[in-house]
Amino acid sequence: MAEGMLLALSGPSGAGKGTLGAMLLRDEPTFRFSVSATTRRPREYESHGKHYYFMDDAGFDRALAQGLFLEHATVHGQRYGTLREHVMEQVTNGFDVLLDVDPQGARSVMAAEPSCVSVFILPPSYEELAKRLRTRNTDCPREIQRRLLNARGEIAQMRLYNYIIINDVIETAYAKLRAIITAERQRSIRYCPDIPEKQA
Ligand code: 5GP
């Protein structure tokens, strides 16, 4: 069985990678979401095991010491880590895995798994990014400020990625993401079909 694809979706908080990822998971039955571990507190709508595995610092330290993370990073003052076993099991079973990770995490995954497809999602402007963070209403003003400051450093790293998409109109950005996946599926590293002698 052919291995699945690792897709690392990255970009500043508020760029829309969560929305794009959710659309992808809705439409592409071969995709599975990599549920990360984090020390961040859950938002109102988030549940343990679906959005994240929420844990305290000691739990995160234990997971780290046990070598459970494929990559881990401190982002906006909180710790996040990708669970290696979960990702690798899905990929080995032929599923594609969507990773929602920050640029540090994306870089680590690219180094560990060079066939990983990396996509950076950009907002159309800094002004629009600020507007989105405020209107989505998931973080307090201080946290929004911190995320906006960090966005500049994250955007400075976009050239590390295989692909860059500006998310101005969500449908257009999504069409581009689907096109990338379609093309990546045809790459000879993933696709090596046998053809029959005769036409059926
Ligand atoms: P949020 O707190 O808004 O859910 O996520 C904050 C940032 O952490 C986002 O940029 C998100 O992509 C990143 N992130 C989420 N999970 C992981 C992970 O497992 N590893 C890394 N490196 N970053 C993550």
Side-chain angles (χ1 to χ4, degrees):
M1 178 195 286
E3 284 200 346
M5 175 194 320
L6 266 186
L7 175 70
L9 213 53
S10 213
S13 195
K17 58 190 186 308
T19 307
L20 289 167
M23 291 165 88
L24 193 62
L25 292 165
R26 179 195 65 194
D27 297 339
E28 292 273 359
T30 62
F31 265 91
R32 297 286 180 272
F33 182 59
S34 162
V35 181
S36 297
T38 184
T39 57
R40 169 169 76 60
R41 289 158 65 111
R43 295 176 181 139
E44 222 166 68
Y45 62 89
E46 289 178 328
S47 55
H48 185 78
K50 183 175 177 207
H51 299 90
Y52 282 106
Y53 293 105
F54 296 98
M55 50 180 72
D56 58 14
D57 261 313
F60 200 94
D61 281 337
R62 271 198 303 278
L64 193 56
Q66 289 166 7
L68 300 189
F69 295 131
L70 175 64
E71 64 74 36
H72 64 95
T74 298
V75 190
H76 313 313
Q78 299 292 337
R79 299 162 86 190
Y80 296 82
T82 302
L83 292 157
R84 183 198 309 275
E85 194 64 27
H86 175 70
V87 171
M88 290 312 166
E89 190 187 319
Q90 304 285 359
V91 169
T92 311
N93 287 323
F95 290 107
D96 302 312
V97 178
L98 171 64
L99 305 164
D100 179 337
V101 290
D102 87 307
Q104 306 166 73
R107 233 181 11 238
S108 305
V109 176
M110 288 180 225
E113 301 291 330
S115 64
C116 159
V117 180
S118 57
V119 182
F120 193 82
I121 310 294
L122 261 181
S125 68
Y126 286 102
E127 186 188 16
E128 174 64 19
L129 185 67
K131 199 170 118 201
R132 286 182 191 171
L133 280 175
R134 287 191 200 107
T135 51
R136 83 177 185 185
N137 214 17
T138 51
D139 302 291
C140 66
R142 204 183 207 198
E143 180 59 26
I144 290 176
Q145 215 41 47
R146 181 208 282 259
R147 288 177 180 236
L148 284 173
L149 272 176
N150 290 346
R152 305 225 168 223
E154 292 174 345
I155 289 172
Q157 298 181 54
M158 70 181 160
R159 286 201 175 275
L160 296 171
Y161 292 77
N162 298 136
Y163 301 95
I164 298 170
I165 298 175
I166 291 188
N167 179 21
D168 188 355
V169 177
I170 190 80
E171 290 77 16
T172 310
Y174 183 52
K176 288 178 181 166
L177 182 61
R178 295 289 295 271
I180 288 167
I181 290 164
T182 302
E184 285 289 337
R185 284 202 171 122
Q186 302 308 124
R187 286 187 59 187
S188 53
I189 53 164
R190 300 194 178 87
Y191 187 59
C192 199
D194 272 331
I195 57 163
E197 288 297 331
K198 286 188 181 159
Q199 190 75 31

